[in-house]
């Protein structure tokens, strides 16, 4: 199975700064079927990005994502207070689907 | 509005079985694949598996950790998906989320475009 490794484990930034979260796959992801989720404490995870770069409904345009092969990136252009959360990547291009271990985005 | 509501979570002893349900409204259930994620307490997300719509054979795929113990099924007449779990161990303790997704988002399996709030399964003696 494809192992996804997210980096960094924790990212400490201030509101207004730019956040770049990475997800590296152990082998080439065969299609664009790659997603990112946001999870706040005590809540279910919410889809942020699907098919590598498409924002889910209601997701603000400060969120963008890209990637291919083994390297995928989620960028938040200007952090708002509500963006501080844990983010997970998921590949659903190959069987079985797998998740990364998460990046905690915390307020500096 | 699309809604997915999980039910059936409970405290069960190791080795026992449990069936979770995912009751849905707001979309054409029969046309959609249905999947399950889980999240152990304080840990990350884990893929459990998914079932295709009958149009695509109605077959299911599973994570290796549950293959042979868990079965996903669906009742299109009632818009409900099920996760039957056997031989439960403490490592299966988690919040289980039901998910689905429209066809324009699909890959080999699915992302959680739609998802429920989760139901807690605790396996403990």
């Amino acid at each position: 199975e494809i192992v996804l490794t997210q980096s960094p484990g924790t990212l400490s930034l201030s509101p207004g700064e730019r956040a770049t979260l990475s997800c590296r796959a152990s082998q080439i992801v065969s299609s664009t079927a790659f997603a990112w989720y946001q999870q706040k404490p005590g809540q279910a995870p919410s889809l942020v990005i699907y098919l590598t770069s498409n924002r889910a409904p209601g997701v603000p345009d400060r969120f963008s994502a890209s990637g291919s092969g083994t390297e995928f990136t989620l960028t938040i252009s200007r952090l708002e207070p509500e963006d501080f959360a844990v983010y997970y990547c998921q590949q659903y291009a190959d069987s079985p689907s797998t998740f990364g271990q998460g990046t905690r985005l915390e307020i500096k | 509005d699309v809604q997915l509501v999980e039910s059936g979570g409970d405290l069960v002893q190791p080795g026992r079985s449990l069936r979770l349900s995912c009751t849905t409204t707001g979309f054409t259930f029969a046309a959609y694949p249905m999947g399950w994620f889980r999240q152990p307490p304080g840990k990350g997300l884990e893929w459990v598996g998914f079932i295709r719509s009958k149009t695509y054979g109605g077959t299911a795929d599973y994570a290796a950790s549950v293959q042979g113990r868990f079965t996903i099924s669906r009742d299109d007449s009632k818009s409900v998906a099920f996760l039957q779990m056997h031989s439960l161990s403490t490592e299966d303790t988690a919040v289980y989320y039901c998910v689905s997704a429209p066809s324009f988002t699909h890959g080999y399996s699915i992302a959680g475009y739609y998802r429920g709030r989760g139901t807690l399964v605790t396996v403990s003696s």
Side-chain angles (χ1 to χ4, degrees), chain A residues 1 31 33 35 37 39 43-47 50-51 56-57 88 90 92-101, chain B residues 37 39 43-47 61-64 97 104-118:
Chain A
E1 70 178 39
S31 76
Y37 298 80
Q39 187 173 33
Q43 297 184 16
S46 291
L47 184 68
Y50 65 92
L51 290 178
Y88 295 95
Q90 178 204 10
Y92 57 105
D94 298 280
S95 178
S97 176
T98 47
F99 287 94
Q101 83 281 15
Chain B
F37 301 165
Q39 186 169 36
K43 296 188 177 180
L45 300 174
E46 182 183 1
W47 177 253
D61 264 26
Y62 302 94
Y97 297 102
F104 63 83
T105 70
H106 292 175
Y108 178 88
S109 57
I110 60 174
Y113 193 92
Y114 304 131
R115 59 109 181 98
R117 293 187 176 185

Side-chain angles (χ1 to χ4, degrees), chain A residues 21 23 34 36 49 52-53 64-68 71-75:
Chain A
L21 287 66
C23 186
F34 201 89
W36 292 89
I49 297 289
T52 297
S53 60
S64 63
S66 62
S68 65
E71 300 286 344
F72 295 83
T73 301
L74 174 69
T75 301

Side-chain angles (χ1 to χ4, degrees), chain B residues 23-68:
Chain B
T23 302
T24 74
T25 56
F27 63 103
T28 309
F29 180 86
Y32 281 60
M34 297 298 300
W36 294 87
F37 301 165
R38 68 183 180 181
Q39 186 169 36
K43 296 188 177 180
L45 300 174
E46 182 183 1
W47 177 253
V48 173
F50 83 112
I51 186 168
R52 299 170 180 85
S53 68
K54 288 190 169 53
T55 298
Y56 290 91
T59 53
D61 264 26
Y62 302 94
S65 59
V66 306
Q67 180 78 48

Side-chain angles (χ1 to χ4, degrees), chain A residues 17 20 33 43 45 81 89 92:
Chain A
E17 291 193 294
T20 303
Q43 297 184 16
C89 58
Y92 57 105

